Amino acid sequence: MKNFMLRLLFAVLCLTCSLSFQYCYLITPLDSAEVKHNISYLSSDSFKGRLPGTLENYEVVNFIKNYFQNQHLRPYKGNYLENFNVLYPKRIEGVPYLRVIDKNGFIVRQYKYGADYKEDMLNFKDNKISFKKSDILVERGNNFQIYQNGKYFVFYNPENDNLNFRSSFMANSSQSMYVMVKKQTAQDIKKYVDSGYEVSCFIPIENKLTSVYNIIGYIEGKNTNLPPLVLCAHFDHLGTDLSGKVYSGSLDNASGTSFLLGLVKYINSLGKPDRNIVIVSFNAEEFGCLGSKAFVQKYYNELKGCKVINFDMIGSDKKIPLTIMGSKWDTKKSSLVQEIANLCRKNNVEFKYTFENSSDHEYFRAYAIDAVTLSDEDMSKIHTPEDKNRYISTASISRCFSIVSDEILNYAFSNNFYVLYCRISFILSLLGILIILKLRI
């Protein structure tokens, strides 16, 4: 009887050791160095800032689609691409100018683009304005609003005279055009119009309707009737200015996109999940989260009851807390916010809360779908040409993975014992086998 029990224990330990070894060998944790490599690629000058509506944005769509195919993600509802229409700021022929003109039509002052003034990208319902003192509706310090023919134009002096910041594009803005001017330029303009001169400005950009794409794939689960886990990030950014200066968007949001791609490899290595895991790379987030809006509106019935984790700015090199971002309707007690916070505590990860509708979790929450955005909320270089790959930290990428991997295991793999404890299980079972073999000898 004793020998039988020993042989049975030996067989169980061998099976446990074998299964544990397979999981240890097959599971591929997220490679933060590879994530940084992909960030470098997606934010390279060759993609010119990934502005929706441009050829380079379509090239990134194709790159992500091919990645999904190579990683054996299934096309969602039969297609990797979901198209939707947006207005985008299209560069047109012409040279920008801001000039002062006398009553005879002669140019008395010409300002330098990029040094004295620059477009802000908020809107281009119109791209040309000539105004006099009587056209100024509101004047506050070095900022003024022009009203002409039922349209509004804004000239403003940015903080610290910084002309490099570029706002997101909002086609529904009430203003027809926004122009940033240096403090000295604003003061000059005020003096000129007070003296009866006319100021004329032209920005060769116009609003244009086009189709853009989200990229959607999924990993099929054992029970496809369960609400899915949705993992997502936006890949678009702000393009280039009129001098060709590239807004690379490494942290915002080549980082979130690359993190998402890295997660695909990890999830695939875990085996078949209990429920579907939907992987979405959103477009036009910089236009007001239009990609996630289109996705939620189209697939709401399939998304009811699901959980959504969005990644926006993962990998800041500054020692700042990980941000759990909920919507303006959320609190610290919202279920998914609380769940992620508990995982941060468990992993000794410093974190903070933000409740804003400023990323792709917004429209999920508007439709009462549990969603959070995880972010390294470092705003020091965001929406400027300085958002470069050299400032990305692999340590911050790994930090986020420690939280997300736990949530994936909890929700999509029911805390699978072998996945969670494969290394411990392998070591203990191997020790047991060696002990039994020694006893038998």
Side-chain angles (χ1 to χ4, degrees), residues 164 246-250 380-391:
N164 275 327
V246 177
Y247 286 70
S248 303
S250 290
S380 60
K381 300 176 183 66
I382 298 306
H383 286 217
T384 76
E386 288 305 303
D387 183 9
K388 299 288 189 182
N389 183 63
R390 63 178 174 270
Y391 299 114

Side-chain angles (χ1 to χ4, degrees), residues 24 35 64 95 102 320 405 436:
C24 289
V35 171
I64 297 171
V95 178
D102 67 14
I320 58 174
S405 57
I436 290 174

Side-chain angles (χ1 to χ4, degrees), residues 10 46 55 72 83 87 98 100 103 116 120 124 137 145 180 204 210 216 229 235 243 257 295 302 332 344 352 429 436:
F10 184 77
S46 61
L55 173 63
H72 309 294
N83 76 295
L87 287 169
L98 176 63
V100 180
K103 61 183 179 180
D116 301 316
D120 198 352
F124 299 95
L137 181 66
Q145 183 187 55
M180 298 181 287
T210 191
I216 317 169
L229 171 63
F235 67 89
S243 67
T257 299
F295 176 75
E302 290 83 358
K332 294 178 183 179
C344 287
K352 68 173 185 176
S429 58
I436 290 174

Side-chain angles (χ1 to χ4, degrees), residues 52-109:
T54 62
L55 173 63
E56 292 76 21
N57 183 275
Y58 292 115
E59 288 174 343
V60 175
V61 168
N62 194 51
F63 168 76
I64 297 171
K65 176 189 170 186
N66 289 339
Y67 187 95
F68 281 11
Q69 288 176 321
N70 291 337
Q71 293 300 317
H72 309 294
L73 294 187
R74 295 189 175 195
Y76 194 67
K77 303 299 178 183
N79 199 332
Y80 288 108
L81 302 183
E82 176 196 12
N83 76 295
F84 57 100
N85 293 331
V86 297
L87 287 169
Y88 81 104
K90 181 185 178 183
R91 173 72 189 268
I92 60 175
E93 292 295 322
V95 178
Y97 61 75
L98 176 63
R99 57 180 62 145
V100 180
I101 302 169
D102 67 14
K103 61 183 179 180
N104 297 313
F106 291 107
I107 298 172
V108 297
R109 181 73 181 269

Side-chain angles (χ1 to χ4, degrees), residues 420-432:
L420 288 171
Y421 306 109
C422 61
R423 287 177 176 81
I424 295 173
S425 178
F426 172 70
I427 293 169
L428 292 178
S429 58
L430 182 60
L431 283 173

Side-chain angles (χ1 to χ4, degrees), residues 169-306:
F169 175 75
M170 298 294 169
N172 59 355
S173 170
S174 60
Q175 313 296 315
S176 289
M177 185 170 72
Y178 295 78
V179 180
M180 298 181 287
V181 290
K182 287 283 186 75
K183 180 180 179 180
Q184 186 60 56
T185 307
Q187 292 174 349
D188 286 351
I189 288 173
K190 186 177 184 301
K191 289 177 183 177
Y192 278 118
V193 296
D194 284 347
S195 300
Y197 290 93
E198 184 175 358
V199 175
S200 185
C201 182
F202 170 59
I203 304 294
I205 300 175
E206 66 178 10
N207 291 359
K208 181 81 172 179
L209 186 67
T210 191
S211 286
V212 297
Y213 298 92
N214 293 327
I215 312 99
I216 317 169
Y218 77 102
I219 300 167
E220 187 175 47
K222 297 172 185 175
N223 186 349
T224 57
N225 293 319
L226 291 173
L229 171 63
V230 178
L231 304 172
C232 52
H234 78 90
F235 67 89
D236 62 298
H237 199 52
L238 300 172
T240 65
D241 68 13
L242 295 173
S243 67
K245 186 180 291 181
V246 177
Y247 286 70
S248 303
S250 290
L251 187 60
D252 183 20
N253 190 34
S255 67
T257 299
S258 301
F259 185 85
L260 183 69
L261 300 183
L263 280 180
V264 172
K265 286 185 177 181
Y266 166 69
I267 297 168
N268 275 336
S269 74
L270 296 175
K272 193 163 189 171
D274 298 325
R275 63 184 73 232
N276 287 352
I277 300 178
V278 181
I279 311 292
V280 194
S281 193
F282 289 126
N283 211 338
E285 190 269 355
E286 299 291 0
F287 290 4
C289 300
L290 299 185
S292 50
K293 180 181 181 180
F295 176 75
V296 176
Q297 288 179 337
K298 185 172 182 178
Y299 298 114
Y300 172 68
N301 289 332
E302 290 83 358
L303 297 171
K304 288 178 182 177
C306 79

